């Protein structure tokens, strides 16, 4: 082994360690989210059941089969479930080196590997228990196998092509973009071979055998795949090319964090030079692939993938993951740019300034890697890149100390991901997937919610995509009118709403008041409370009936506050009426609005007498409350006696 080879080996090993470090570091820090819960649920099934469930979805079963075996070997922690993707991503970075070296040389291979190692697009899906990192791995591996056949046609390449192509097809249908690239590139190579009178028969036979064997391996799933693809409705958003292309460019070159760290001059320079045709030194061995074809492969791969993505109307942030194979191509493109810099024919006084151009190449690649630090950090610290926190939701419910609680889960797939955490934090919780039916069965759903209200003291609603899953808000309508909402919190894009169920008939309060807004009044017609004597940790259930004599000009919020004898706030609940379902601007004059609230008494409350107050305010001007007769801006509902239990 020469000193050059040893140096290349050391650098490659260092880049492998870097790629592994940024992928396996904090791998289990974030909660599993909805889609990862689906992966976990699939991994618990038998291979036959995995296939049956995948047939009813839009993803083929290959990744789930692998994950099921991986789970048996490594366990069920977040780290273990995601480690398959992390390993696949590290191998993808290694294959980027192998491809770059095969097409251009060591310099290009190392630079491509460095780009993949720090790209946050690659890192994001390396840290997710989904199939996209595996998709990128099969894309890189199958492309390497094709290049291997074109350069040294042997059975090894045909076998690798068959296995990696079948693996890609069984992993995700986005692998079709890789096959399109292979087809166009193969035809270009064939045209070159025929033009230059090169023998192509063995290459054609081995390539046909490789793809043919992949088709045979895929035949059991082919009919299902065609059905799924042809019946899959578009999930993209109509976005102009002027908006879509910069986003795709940012994700492929830097990753989703490009909006945070920007796109450096080094990235643009490497891409520009990657299209520059430069002759290698005379001492270099002849290229295995014609220089023009090798130069064209990465841009061709990127162009075909992005064009297909946009042509199929797939563009939206959640679908950009289908472009992940093209990130390997982008890294090869930038790697070739580094190779061009390394061999750039800079001349002074008739001599090549080789050391200068090589120093620029090293500094440019290093600058790209150094600039990625902020993006890698942002993946773990910036809320924009955080996954929905189902673990945090389960911990919040467990902190309430209600082992017999009911948890309503409204979105498909939530039962798997929340069940994963419920087994850890609340094994006795009743998990209720609601509403009932893909097209909501209103009566059955209402009956199921009422049954939960009758059997549980506390109900927690874990809500995601309500407008799509429950457009009539059947679940929340029953809860907001027949139970008492405590509060709501957001965990990413998932909303947790806590409810207390009516365990007491309650008592009517002798109170009235009118809140004045410009042009009218909101009158409190009646008020009832569950009790005026309560222990710390208990909940006050409050039922209010409102009537407005004109349509209010703003959507006012109600504030329910518990104050001590000195007027200091102890606890409060702020919300729009009927848990945001009846904003005040929707009230008709004279309409009676029944509005329910629950107020939790803090566990550390001192036994004493407190005052329960209510008021209205405009959330655009929260410091200005509506005046209430006779004077002031808060209305006293009742004195509450907090005492210790026996």
């Amino acid at each position: 082994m020469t000193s050059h080879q040893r140096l290349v080996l050391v650098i490659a090993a260092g880049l492998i360690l870097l790629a592994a470090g940024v992928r396996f570091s904090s791998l289990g820090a974030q909660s599993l989210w909805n889609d990862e819960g689906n992966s976990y649920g699939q991994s618990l099934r038998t291979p036959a059941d995995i296939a049956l469930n995948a047939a009813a979805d839009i993803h083929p079963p290959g990744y789930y089969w692998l994950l099921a075996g991986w789970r048996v070997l490594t366990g069920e922690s977040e780290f273990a479930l995601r480690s398959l993707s992390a390993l696949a991503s590290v191998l993808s970075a290694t294959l980027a080196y192998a491809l770059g070296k095969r097409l251009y040389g060591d310099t290009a291979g190392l630079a491509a590997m460095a780009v993949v190692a720090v790209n946050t697009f690659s890192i994001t899906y390396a840290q997710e228990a989904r199939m996209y990192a595996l998709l990128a791995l099969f894309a890189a591996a199958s492309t390497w196998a094709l290049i291997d056949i074109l350069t040294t046609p042997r059975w090894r390449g045909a076998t690798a092509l068959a296995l990696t192509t079948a693996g890609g097809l069984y992993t995700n249908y986005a692998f079709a973009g890789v096959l399109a690239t292979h087809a166009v590139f193969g035809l270009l190579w064939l045209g070159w071979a025929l033009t230059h009178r090169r023998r192509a028969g063995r290459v054609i036979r081995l390539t046909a055998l490789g793809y043919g064997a992949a088709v045979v391996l895929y035949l059991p799933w082919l009919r299902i795949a065609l059905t799924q693809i042809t019946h899959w409705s578009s999930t993209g958003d109509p976005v102009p090319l002027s908006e879509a292309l910069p986003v795709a460019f940012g994700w492929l070159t830097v990753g989703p964090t490009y909006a945070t760290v920007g796109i450096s001059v080094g990235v643009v320079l490497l891409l520009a030079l990657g299209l520059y045709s430069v002759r290698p030194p005379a001492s270099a061995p002849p290229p295995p692939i014609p220089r023009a074809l090798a130069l064209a492969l990465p841009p061709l791969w990127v162009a075909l993938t992005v064009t297909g993505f946009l042509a199929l109307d797939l563009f939206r942030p959640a679908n950009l993951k289908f472009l992940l194979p093209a990130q390997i191509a982008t890294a090869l493109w930038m790697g070739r740019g580094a190779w061009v810099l390394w061999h750039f024919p800079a001349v002074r006084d008739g001599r090549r300034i080789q050391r200068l151009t090589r120093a620029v190449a090293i500094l440019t690649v290093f600058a790209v890697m150094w600039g990625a630090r902020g993006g890698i950090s942002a993946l773990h610290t910036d809320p924009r890149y955080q996954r929905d926190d189902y673990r945090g939701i389960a911990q919040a419910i467990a902190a309430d100390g209600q082992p017999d609680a009911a948890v309503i889960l409204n979105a498909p797939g939530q039962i798997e991901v929340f069940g994963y955490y419920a087994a850890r934090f609340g094994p006795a919780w009743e998990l209720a997937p609601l509403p009932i039916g893909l097209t909501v069965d209103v009566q059955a759903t209402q009956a199921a919610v009422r049954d939960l209200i009758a059997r549980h003291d506390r109900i927690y609603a874990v809500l995601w995509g309500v407008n799509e899953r429950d457009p009539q808000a059947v679940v929340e309508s029953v809860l907001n009118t027949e139970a008492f909402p405590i509060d709501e919190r957001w965990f990413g894009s998932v909303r947790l709403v806590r409810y207390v169920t009516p365990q007491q008939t309650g008592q009517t309060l002798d109170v009235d008041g009118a809140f004045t807004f410009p042009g009218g009044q909101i009158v409190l017609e009646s008020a009832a409370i569950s009790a005026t004597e309560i222990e710390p940790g208990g909940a006050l259930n409050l039922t209010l009936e409102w009537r407005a004599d004109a349509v209010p000009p703003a959507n006012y919020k109600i504030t329910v506050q518990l104050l001590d004898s000195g007027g200091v706030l102890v606890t409060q609940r702020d919300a729009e009426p009927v848990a945001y379902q009846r904003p005040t601007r929707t009230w008709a004059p004279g309409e009676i609005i029944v509005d329910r609230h629950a107020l939790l008494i803090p566990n550390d409350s001192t036994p004493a007498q407190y005052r329960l107050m209510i008021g209205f305010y405009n959330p655009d001007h929260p410091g200005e409350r509506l005046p209430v007769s006779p004077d002031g801006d808060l209305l006293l509902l009742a004195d509450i006696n907090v005492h210790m239990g026996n």
Side-chain angles (χ1 to χ4, degrees):
M1 181 182 292
T2 66
S3 58
H4 171 77
Q5 290 173 326
R6 283 195 294 270
L7 178 61
V8 169
L9 184 62
V10 168
I11 296 173
L15 290 174
I16 290 174
L17 291 176
L18 172 64
V22 297
R23 283 157 176 77
F24 283 94
S25 174
S26 304
L27 190 59
Q30 291 190 45
S31 165
L32 299 181
W33 71 290
N34 205 45
D35 284 4
E36 289 182 292
N38 181 57
S39 297
Y40 168 69
Q42 280 280 61
S43 74
L44 300 176
R45 300 184 171 104
T46 65
D49 286 340
I50 287 174
L52 286 174
N53 279 272
D57 193 17
I58 190 55
H59 297 296
Y63 168 76
Y64 301 128
W65 284 334
L66 283 176
L67 184 63
W70 188 262
R71 181 186 60 81
V72 172
L73 293 174
T74 63
E76 296 186 355
S77 68
E78 293 97 330
F79 185 99
L81 292 172
R82 290 171 174 156
S83 60
L84 175 61
S85 295
L87 177 61
S89 186
V90 173
L91 293 176
S92 294
T94 306
L95 278 168
Y97 164 73
L99 272 169
K101 178 181 179 180
R102 194 72 179 267
L103 290 169
Y104 315 114
D106 285 328
T107 304
L110 291 173
M113 188 180 187
V115 170
V116 175
V118 299
N119 182 277
T120 55
F121 192 3
S122 179
I123 296 169
T124 293
Y125 289 100
Q127 297 187 325
E128 183 170 287
R130 296 294 285 166
M131 66 285 298
Y132 305 105
L134 191 66
L135 170 66
L137 173 61
F138 280 127
S142 61
T143 303
W144 183 91
L146 176 62
I147 298 299
D148 189 56
I149 292 176
L150 297 181
T151 54
T152 53
R154 292 175 291 183
W155 284 102
R156 178 190 73 175
T159 303
L161 184 64
L163 295 176
T164 54
T165 299
L169 289 170
Y170 271 109
T171 298
N172 192 274
Y173 299 130
F175 191 76
V178 179
L179 293 181
T181 302
H182 289 185
V184 174
F185 186 76
L187 289 174
L188 291 174
W189 182 90
L190 182 60
W192 169 84
L194 294 176
T195 302
H196 291 77
R197 298 182 179 181
R198 300 294 179 92
R199 293 182 178 180
R202 182 171 175 81
V203 170
I204 293 172
R205 288 193 298 272
L206 288 175
T207 304
L209 282 171
Y211 287 124
V215 171
V216 171
L217 291 172
Y218 195 61
L219 279 177
W221 192 257
L222 182 59
R223 182 182 60 82
I224 297 171
L226 292 174
T227 301
Q228 289 178 324
I229 293 170
T230 54
H231 289 80
W232 187 28
S233 59
S234 172
T235 59
D237 301 319
V239 176
L241 280 178
S242 59
E243 295 180 22
L245 290 179
V247 173
F249 180 79
W251 277 62
L252 292 174
T253 55
V254 176
T257 56
Y258 82 96
T260 299
V261 299
I263 298 173
S264 68
V265 174
V267 168
V268 177
L269 177 63
L270 291 178
L271 288 172
L273 290 173
L275 297 175
Y276 184 77
S277 180
V278 59
R279 288 182 177 274
S283 59
I289 293 288
R291 284 195 298 272
L293 286 182
L295 182 153
L297 176 58
L300 176 69
W301 188 349
V302 171
L304 288 175
T305 302
V306 174
T307 300
F309 180 78
L310 297 177
L312 293 171
D313 292 328
L314 293 175
F315 186 89
R316 65 170 179 148
N319 286 346
L320 288 168
K321 57 200 174 189
F322 299 137
L323 297 178
L324 190 58
Q327 197 280 316
I328 303 293
T330 305
L332 290 173
W333 188 343
M334 294 170 66
R336 188 183 184 279
W339 177 87
V340 168
L341 264 178
W342 191 262
H343 296 289
F344 199 80
V347 177
R348 186 180 69 185
D349 298 331
R351 294 179 302 172
R352 293 185 61 189
I353 316 173
Q354 193 173 59
R355 289 184 179 179
L356 175 62
T357 58
R358 291 186 173 183
V360 172
I362 293 171
L363 289 174
T364 302
V365 174
F366 182 77
V368 170
M369 296 175 65
W370 187 259
R373 292 178 308 120
I376 295 171
S377 175
L379 286 180
H380 304 291
T381 58
D382 192 325
R384 289 177 294 176
Y385 309 115
Q386 302 295 296
R387 296 178 177 89
D388 295 334
D389 189 7
Y390 282 93
R391 180 172 58 202
I393 293 172
Q395 289 173 327
I397 296 173
D400 276 358
Q402 302 290 325
D404 189 37
V407 182
I408 293 174
L409 305 163
N410 80 314
Q414 279 188 329
I415 191 69
E416 287 89 358
V417 67
F418 194 81
Y420 176 86
Y421 290 110
R424 185 187 309 176
F425 296 107
W429 297 338
E430 180 179 351
L431 306 186
L434 293 171
I436 295 172
L438 292 178
T439 56
V440 178
D441 185 327
V442 175
Q443 291 185 340
T445 299
Q446 290 173 335
V449 176
R450 290 184 178 119
D451 178 63
L452 293 175
I453 292 173
R455 294 188 293 107
H456 295 275
D457 294 336
R458 292 282 178 90
I459 295 178
Y460 299 84
V462 180
L463 307 173
W464 179 83
V466 173
N467 292 337
E468 292 78 21
R469 183 65 186 97
D470 188 8
Q472 297 173 272
V474 176
V475 172
E476 286 189 89
S477 293
V478 176
L479 289 171
N480 291 335
T481 56
E482 300 184 26
F484 294 86
I486 302 170
D487 59 16
E488 62 178 49
R489 293 170 57 189
W490 287 90
F491 294 79
S493 62
V494 182
R495 181 163 51 101
L496 172 65
V497 188
R498 300 192 295 172
Y499 292 89
V500 175
T501 57
Q503 301 300 317
Q504 301 180 37
T505 303
Q507 61 189 75
T508 301
L509 299 175
D510 184 16
V511 62
D512 57 48
F515 296 84
T516 302
F517 59 81
Q521 290 185 321
I522 297 174
V523 179
L524 179 62
E525 293 287 344
S526 69
I529 195 169
S530 56
T532 55
E533 302 275 339
I534 194 167
E535 299 176 10
L540 291 172
N541 297 343
L542 187 63
T543 303
L544 307 171
E545 292 188 1
W546 303 105
R547 176 182 57 81
D549 58 13
V551 177
N555 287 328
Y556 296 110
K557 274 190 172 182
I558 298 170
T559 179
V560 182
Q561 301 183 1
L562 191 69
L563 307 180
D564 66 13
S565 58
V568 176
L569 180 67
V570 175
T571 186
Q572 73 182 98
R573 165 177 162 78
D574 288 20
E576 291 186 22
V578 197
Y580 295 88
Q581 287 194 314
R582 288 303 311 273
T584 52
R585 291 182 67 178
T586 69
W587 294 8
E591 180 184 8
I592 299 297
I593 304 296
V594 179
D595 184 29
R596 292 186 166 201
H597 301 266
L599 199 63
L600 285 183
I601 307 302
N603 290 322
D604 58 355
S605 296
T606 303
Q609 190 172 75
Y610 297 84
R611 292 180 296 162
L612 184 64
M613 316 288 287
I614 58 169
F616 279 89
Y617 66 91
N618 186 336
D620 294 333
H621 306 283
E624 302 174 9
R625 299 194 189 107
L626 297 184
V628 58
S629 58
D631 52 32
D633 56 14
L634 286 175
L635 178 65
L636 175 64
L637 288 181
D639 291 321
I640 305 298
N641 184 28
V642 176
H643 60 86
M644 302 303 293
N646 295 329

PDB file of all heavy atoms in Angstrom, residues 57-74:
ATOM      1  N   ASP A  57     -51.802   0.030   2.385  1.00  0.00           N
ATOM      2  CA  ASP A  57     -51.193   1.353   2.536  1.00  0.00           C
ATOM      3  C   ASP A  57     -50.600   1.764   1.191  1.00  0.00           C
ATOM      4  O   ASP A  57     -51.025   1.281   0.147  1.00  0.00           O
ATOM      5  CB  ASP A  57     -50.138   1.283   3.646  1.00  0.00           C
ATOM      6  CG  ASP A  57     -49.665   2.643   4.117  1.00  0.00           C
ATOM      7  OD1 ASP A  57     -50.346   3.636   3.834  1.00  0.00           O
ATOM      8  OD2 ASP A  57     -48.606   2.702   4.766  1.00  0.00           O
ATOM      9  N   ILE A  58     -49.601   2.624   1.196  1.00  0.00           N
ATOM     10  CA  ILE A  58     -48.983   3.072  -0.045  1.00  0.00           C
ATOM     11  C   ILE A  58     -47.512   2.694  -0.114  1.00  0.00           C
ATOM     12  O   ILE A  58     -46.835   2.973  -1.093  1.00  0.00           O
ATOM     13  CB  ILE A  58     -49.160   4.604  -0.212  1.00  0.00           C
ATOM     14  CG1 ILE A  58     -48.736   5.074  -1.610  1.00  0.00           C
ATOM     15  CG2 ILE A  58     -48.384   5.353   0.876  1.00  0.00           C
ATOM     16  CD1 ILE A  58     -49.420   4.376  -2.749  1.00  0.00           C
ATOM     17  N   HIS A  59     -46.990   2.030   0.915  1.00  0.00           N
ATOM     18  CA  HIS A  59     -45.577   1.662   0.919  1.00  0.00           C
ATOM     19  C   HIS A  59     -45.421   0.154   0.770  1.00  0.00           C
ATOM     20  O   HIS A  59     -46.159  -0.617   1.388  1.00  0.00           O
ATOM     21  CB  HIS A  59     -44.907   2.103   2.222  1.00  0.00           C
ATOM     22  CG  HIS A  59     -44.907   3.584   2.425  1.00  0.00           C
ATOM     23  ND1 HIS A  59     -44.237   4.449   1.593  1.00  0.00           N
ATOM     24  CD2 HIS A  59     -45.511   4.358   3.360  1.00  0.00           C
ATOM     25  CE1 HIS A  59     -44.418   5.691   2.007  1.00  0.00           C
ATOM     26  NE2 HIS A  59     -45.195   5.661   3.066  1.00  0.00           N
ATOM     27  N   PRO A  60     -44.440  -0.299  -0.023  1.00  0.00           N
ATOM     28  CA  PRO A  60     -44.164  -1.733  -0.097  1.00  0.00           C
ATOM     29  C   PRO A  60     -43.600  -2.241   1.223  1.00  0.00           C
ATOM     30  O   PRO A  60     -43.212  -1.458   2.095  1.00  0.00           O
ATOM     31  CB  PRO A  60     -43.151  -1.834  -1.243  1.00  0.00           C
ATOM     32  CG  PRO A  60     -42.569  -0.473  -1.390  1.00  0.00           C
ATOM     33  CD  PRO A  60     -43.593   0.501  -0.919  1.00  0.00           C
ATOM     34  N   PRO A  61     -43.513  -3.561   1.396  1.00  0.00           N
ATOM     35  CA  PRO A  61     -43.218  -4.113   2.726  1.00  0.00           C
ATOM     36  C   PRO A  61     -41.743  -4.307   3.054  1.00  0.00           C
ATOM     37  O   PRO A  61     -41.418  -4.718   4.167  1.00  0.00           O
ATOM     38  CB  PRO A  61     -43.920  -5.471   2.679  1.00  0.00           C
ATOM     39  CG  PRO A  61     -43.816  -5.877   1.240  1.00  0.00           C
ATOM     40  CD  PRO A  61     -43.922  -4.607   0.442  1.00  0.00           C
ATOM     41  N   GLY A  62     -40.827  -4.038   2.116  1.00  0.00           N
ATOM     42  CA  GLY A  62     -39.431  -4.412   2.318  1.00  0.00           C
ATOM     43  C   GLY A  62     -38.811  -3.850   3.583  1.00  0.00           C
ATOM     44  O   GLY A  62     -38.175  -4.576   4.361  1.00  0.00           O
ATOM     45  N   TYR A  63     -38.975  -2.549   3.804  1.00  0.00           N
ATOM     46  CA  TYR A  63     -38.380  -1.940   4.999  1.00  0.00           C
ATOM     47  C   TYR A  63     -38.964  -2.545   6.267  1.00  0.00           C
ATOM     48  O   TYR A  63     -38.238  -2.806   7.240  1.00  0.00           O
ATOM     49  CB  TYR A  63     -38.600  -0.428   4.981  1.00  0.00           C
ATOM     50  CG  TYR A  63     -38.267   0.236   6.303  1.00  0.00           C
ATOM     51  CD1 TYR A  63     -36.946   0.452   6.686  1.00  0.00           C
ATOM     52  CD2 TYR A  63     -39.281   0.617   7.180  1.00  0.00           C
ATOM     53  CE1 TYR A  63     -36.643   1.038   7.902  1.00  0.00           C
ATOM     54  CE2 TYR A  63     -38.987   1.207   8.394  1.00  0.00           C
ATOM     55  CZ  TYR A  63     -37.669   1.416   8.750  1.00  0.00           C
ATOM     56  OH  TYR A  63     -37.385   1.988   9.964  1.00  0.00           O
ATOM     57  N   TYR A  64     -40.270  -2.774   6.272  1.00  0.00           N
ATOM     58  CA  TYR A  64     -40.913  -3.315   7.473  1.00  0.00           C
ATOM     59  C   TYR A  64     -40.410  -4.725   7.780  1.00  0.00           C
ATOM     60  O   TYR A  64     -40.249  -5.097   8.947  1.00  0.00           O
ATOM     61  CB  TYR A  64     -42.430  -3.319   7.310  1.00  0.00           C
ATOM     62  CG  TYR A  64     -43.027  -1.957   7.057  1.00  0.00           C
ATOM     63  CD1 TYR A  64     -43.879  -1.735   5.981  1.00  0.00           C
ATOM     64  CD2 TYR A  64     -42.735  -0.881   7.887  1.00  0.00           C
ATOM     65  CE1 TYR A  64     -44.440  -0.494   5.748  1.00  0.00           C
ATOM     66  CE2 TYR A  64     -43.286   0.372   7.660  1.00  0.00           C
ATOM     67  CZ  TYR A  64     -44.136   0.559   6.585  1.00  0.00           C
ATOM     68  OH  TYR A  64     -44.683   1.794   6.354  1.00  0.00           O
ATOM     69  N   TRP A  65     -40.173  -5.523   6.738  1.00  0.00           N
ATOM     70  CA  TRP A  65     -39.610  -6.855   6.965  1.00  0.00           C
ATOM     71  C   TRP A  65     -38.235  -6.751   7.625  1.00  0.00           C
ATOM     72  O   TRP A  65     -37.945  -7.462   8.591  1.00  0.00           O
ATOM     73  CB  TRP A  65     -39.481  -7.597   5.631  1.00  0.00           C
ATOM     74  CG  TRP A  65     -40.776  -8.129   5.088  1.00  0.00           C
ATOM     75  CD1 TRP A  65     -41.891  -8.459   5.797  1.00  0.00           C
ATOM     76  CD2 TRP A  65     -41.084  -8.388   3.713  1.00  0.00           C
ATOM     77  NE1 TRP A  65     -42.878  -8.908   4.957  1.00  0.00           N
ATOM     78  CE2 TRP A  65     -42.415  -8.881   3.663  1.00  0.00           C
ATOM     79  CE3 TRP A  65     -40.376  -8.257   2.520  1.00  0.00           C
ATOM     80  CZ2 TRP A  65     -43.032  -9.238   2.473  1.00  0.00           C
ATOM     81  CZ3 TRP A  65     -40.991  -8.612   1.326  1.00  0.00           C
ATOM     82  CH2 TRP A  65     -42.302  -9.097   1.309  1.00  0.00           C
ATOM     83  N   LEU A  66     -37.405  -5.863   7.092  1.00  0.00           N
ATOM     84  CA  LEU A  66     -36.073  -5.692   7.677  1.00  0.00           C
ATOM     85  C   LEU A  66     -36.160  -5.181   9.115  1.00  0.00           C
ATOM     86  O   LEU A  66     -35.434  -5.646  10.003  1.00  0.00           O
ATOM     87  CB  LEU A  66     -35.247  -4.726   6.833  1.00  0.00           C
ATOM     88  CG  LEU A  66     -34.664  -5.263   5.528  1.00  0.00           C
ATOM     89  CD1 LEU A  66     -33.952  -4.150   4.774  1.00  0.00           C
ATOM     90  CD2 LEU A  66     -33.704  -6.410   5.796  1.00  0.00           C
ATOM     91  N   LEU A  67     -37.052  -4.208   9.355  1.00  0.00           N
ATOM     92  CA  LEU A  67     -37.173  -3.634  10.695  1.00  0.00           C
ATOM     93  C   LEU A  67     -37.660  -4.679  11.698  1.00  0.00           C
ATOM     94  O   LEU A  67     -37.233  -4.678  12.862  1.00  0.00           O
ATOM     95  CB  LEU A  67     -38.128  -2.441  10.673  1.00  0.00           C
ATOM     96  CG  LEU A  67     -38.278  -1.681  11.999  1.00  0.00           C
ATOM     97  CD1 LEU A  67     -36.949  -1.060  12.422  1.00  0.00           C
ATOM     98  CD2 LEU A  67     -39.355  -0.603  11.891  1.00  0.00           C
ATOM     99  N   ALA A  68     -38.544  -5.579  11.256  1.00  0.00           N
ATOM    100  CA  ALA A  68     -39.039  -6.621  12.162  1.00  0.00           C
ATOM    101  C   ALA A  68     -37.882  -7.502  12.643  1.00  0.00           C
ATOM    102  O   ALA A  68     -37.778  -7.821  13.837  1.00  0.00           O
ATOM    103  CB  ALA A  68     -40.099  -7.465  11.458  1.00  0.00           C
ATOM    104  N   GLY A  69     -37.001  -7.884  11.729  1.00  0.00           N
ATOM    105  CA  GLY A  69     -35.839  -8.669  12.138  1.00  0.00           C
ATOM    106  C   GLY A  69     -34.859  -7.857  12.959  1.00  0.00           C
ATOM    107  O   GLY A  69     -34.280  -8.354  13.932  1.00  0.00           O
ATOM    108  N   TRP A  70     -34.683  -6.596  12.584  1.00  0.00           N
ATOM    109  CA  TRP A  70     -33.769  -5.707  13.308  1.00  0.00           C
ATOM    110  C   TRP A  70     -34.244  -5.500  14.746  1.00  0.00           C
ATOM    111  O   TRP A  70     -33.441  -5.480  15.679  1.00  0.00           O
ATOM    112  CB  TRP A  70     -33.688  -4.381  12.567  1.00  0.00           C
ATOM    113  CG  TRP A  70     -32.644  -3.436  13.081  1.00  0.00           C
ATOM    114  CD1 TRP A  70     -32.825  -2.396  13.943  1.00  0.00           C
ATOM    115  CD2 TRP A  70     -31.249  -3.444  12.757  1.00  0.00           C
ATOM    116  NE1 TRP A  70     -31.646  -1.745  14.177  1.00  0.00           N
ATOM    117  CE2 TRP A  70     -30.653  -2.369  13.458  1.00  0.00           C
ATOM    118  CE3 TRP A  70     -30.455  -4.242  11.944  1.00  0.00           C
ATOM    119  CZ2 TRP A  70     -29.296  -2.087  13.367  1.00  0.00           C
ATOM    120  CZ3 TRP A  70     -29.105  -3.959  11.848  1.00  0.00           C
ATOM    121  CH2 TRP A  70     -28.538  -2.892  12.556  1.00  0.00           C
ATOM    122  N   ARG A  71     -35.558  -5.356  14.928  1.00  0.00           N
ATOM    123  CA  ARG A  71     -36.116  -5.151  16.272  1.00  0.00           C
ATOM    124  C   ARG A  71     -35.839  -6.353  17.164  1.00  0.00           C
ATOM    125  O   ARG A  71     -35.534  -6.202  18.355  1.00  0.00           O
ATOM    126  CB  ARG A  71     -37.628  -4.905  16.169  1.00  0.00           C
ATOM    127  CG  ARG A  71     -38.325  -4.647  17.496  1.00  0.00           C
ATOM    128  CD  ARG A  71     -39.826  -4.562  17.322  1.00  0.00           C
ATOM    129  NE  ARG A  71     -40.376  -5.792  16.767  1.00  0.00           N
ATOM    130  CZ  ARG A  71     -40.637  -6.878  17.484  1.00  0.00           C
ATOM    131  NH1 ARG A  71     -40.392  -6.899  18.785  1.00  0.00           N
ATOM    132  NH2 ARG A  71     -41.139  -7.951  16.909  1.00  0.00           N
ATOM    133  N   VAL A  72     -35.920  -7.545  16.602  1.00  0.00           N
ATOM    134  CA  VAL A  72     -35.632  -8.751  17.385  1.00  0.00           C
ATOM    135  C   VAL A  72     -34.183  -8.743  17.860  1.00  0.00           C
ATOM    136  O   VAL A  72     -33.873  -9.134  18.994  1.00  0.00           O
ATOM    137  CB  VAL A  72     -35.929 -10.013  16.550  1.00  0.00           C
ATOM    138  CG1 VAL A  72     -35.458 -11.264  17.279  1.00  0.00           C
ATOM    139  CG2 VAL A  72     -37.420 -10.108  16.248  1.00  0.00           C
ATOM    140  N   LEU A  73     -33.283  -8.244  17.013  1.00  0.00           N
ATOM    141  CA  LEU A  73     -31.855  -8.253  17.343  1.00  0.00           C
ATOM    142  C   LEU A  73     -31.463  -7.129  18.296  1.00  0.00           C
ATOM    143  O   LEU A  73     -30.610  -7.315  19.169  1.00  0.00           O
ATOM    144  CB  LEU A  73     -31.023  -8.133  16.061  1.00  0.00           C
ATOM    145  CG  LEU A  73     -31.082  -9.315  15.085  1.00  0.00           C
ATOM    146  CD1 LEU A  73     -30.324  -8.972  13.815  1.00  0.00           C
ATOM    147  CD2 LEU A  73     -30.506 -10.572  15.726  1.00  0.00           C
ATOM    148  N   THR A  74     -32.074  -5.946  18.140  1.00  0.00           N
ATOM    149  CA  THR A  74     -31.580  -4.757  18.845  1.00  0.00           C
ATOM    150  C   THR A  74     -32.499  -4.247  19.943  1.00  0.00           C
ATOM    151  O   THR A  74     -32.064  -3.475  20.795  1.00  0.00           O
ATOM    152  CB  THR A  74     -31.338  -3.609  17.848  1.00  0.00           C
ATOM    153  OG1 THR A  74     -32.589  -3.249  17.231  1.00  0.00           O
ATOM    154  CG2 THR A  74     -30.346  -4.029  16.774  1.00  0.00           C
TER     155      THR A  74
END
